[in-house]
Amino acid sequence: RVSRVRGTYNFTSSFFTRVIVQQVTTSRDPSLYEDVVDPKSSDVSGSVLVAYKINWQSVLFVGYGDERSFDDEDRLRPTSRQYFIKLSYAFQR
């Protein structure tokens, strides 16, 4: 089962932000597997993206992503974290 919430807010025509939160829950029947598996697992991920359009060809993106998993005691534990910066520009002749 995948539950997802996504929100976008445009401050101006050239500046916006987007937030996504997603939870993936997997239920399994352990008797169907040869190896030992957890009967249920759940992961939560979130991301934030900020974009600024410098001109009609150039856009600056700054983002952050975070992934977490539930442990045996149903507490969220960090799995991974990402940051990025990207400048997109179309070169002309």
Side-chain angles (χ1 to χ4, degrees):
R1 185 175 77 167
V2 177
S3 303
R4 182 177 184 167
V5 175
R6 176 180 171 169
T8 303
Y9 186 77
N10 294 314
F11 296 99
T12 64
S13 62
S14 61
F15 181 59
F16 78 91
T17 186
R18 181 182 70 206
V19 177
I20 299 173
V21 177
Q22 177 173 295
Q23 180 176 7
V24 178
T25 304
T26 305
S27 299
R28 301 175 194 86
D29 184 359
S31 66
L32 299 175
Y33 294 86
E34 292 180 7
D35 296 330
V36 178
V37 295
D38 292 331
K40 184 178 178 184
S41 64
S42 186
D43 300 317
V44 176
S45 63
S47 64
V48 176
L49 175 73
V50 177
Y52 178 70
K53 188 184 286 188
I54 299 166
N55 59 38
W56 68 278
Q57 292 179 309
S58 304
V59 183
L60 175 66
F61 297 98
V62 177
Y64 169 75
D66 187 65
E67 295 183 13
R68 296 174 182 258
S69 294
F70 285 97
D71 62 7
D72 295 337
E73 299 169 355
D74 284 338
R75 289 185 289 183
L76 280 173
R77 299 288 182 193
T79 306
S80 67
R81 184 174 291 160
Q82 308 87 28
Y83 299 94
F84 75 90
I85 296 174
K86 176 184 175 184
L87 178 62
S88 176
Y89 181 77
F91 291 99
Q92 291 184 1
R93 291 184 180 190

